[in-house]
Amino acid sequence: QVHLVESGGGSVQAGGSLRLSCVFSGYIFNTVCMAWFRQAPGKEREGVAGISPYGSDTIYADSVKGRFTVSRDNAKNTLSLQMNSLKPEDTAMYYCAAYTISGTCPTMIGGAYRDWGQGTQVTVSS
C-alpha cells in the first residue's frame, strides 16, 4: 500500500522559512522518483522541485531556484523541501508526488506521477 503524508506547512511572513516533509511508504526507495508540486487558488498546478532516487540529481522551477532545496533521506523514507526567503507568491497548497521510475527522473511533469499526498498549506504574508 502506497502512502505519502506531507507536513510542515504553516503561515509565515515574507522572508521567512519553512521546511516541508513527506513521509512515504510502499515503495522500493531506489526505484521511486519524487517531486514537490504546488497549486494556488485559481491557478494551475506547477512543479516546484524534483529529485532522483538517490538524491544525486535535482531540478527546480525557475521561480524557486536559489531559495528552495529538495532532499531525501531514504533511510527515513522522507522527502523534504527547505524553503527560504519566502514570498507571498509562494502561497499555495504543496503536494509531494512519487512514481516508480519508467522514464526520465527527476521530472516536474505532473502526469508522470502516479501517487500524491493530501497536501500541506503554505501561506506567506507580506
Side-chain angles (χ1 to χ4, degrees):
Q1 188 77 12
V2 168
H3 279 109
L4 298 168
V5 181
E6 303 99 331
S7 63
S11 297
V12 296
Q13 291 190 327
S17 298
L18 283 173
R19 185 176 182 87
L20 306 184
S21 295
C22 173
V23 177
F24 57 93
S25 61
Y27 299 99
I28 300 172
F29 77 89
N30 62 347
T31 66
V32 62
C33 191
M34 302 195 75
W36 287 97
F37 290 80
R38 66 186 182 187
Q39 187 166 21
K43 295 188 177 181
E44 292 188 354
R45 181 184 62 197
E46 64 173 341
V48 176
I51 189 166
S52 58
Y54 288 99
S56 56
D57 296 313
T58 57
I59 54 174
Y60 295 92
D62 288 343
S63 59
V64 306
K65 281 180 182 177
R67 300 188 297 122
F68 290 12
T69 302
V70 62
S71 62
R72 61 192 290 172
D73 183 340
N74 290 327
K76 297 181 179 180
N77 287 358
T78 301
L79 173 73
S80 298
L81 184 68
Q82 178 66 43
M83 305 186 295
N84 298 327
S85 302
L86 283 161
K87 304 176 180 180
E89 51 263 44
D90 294 318
T91 295
M93 186 73 79
Y94 284 70
Y95 300 90
C96 67
Y99 84 104
T100 300
I101 294 175
S102 61
T104 301
C105 180
T107 178
M108 290 192 295
I109 298 174
Y113 291 88
R114 184 192 72 177
D115 301 305
W116 296 79
Q118 83 288 348
T120 186
Q121 178 69 38
V122 172
T123 303
V124 185
S125 58
S126 58

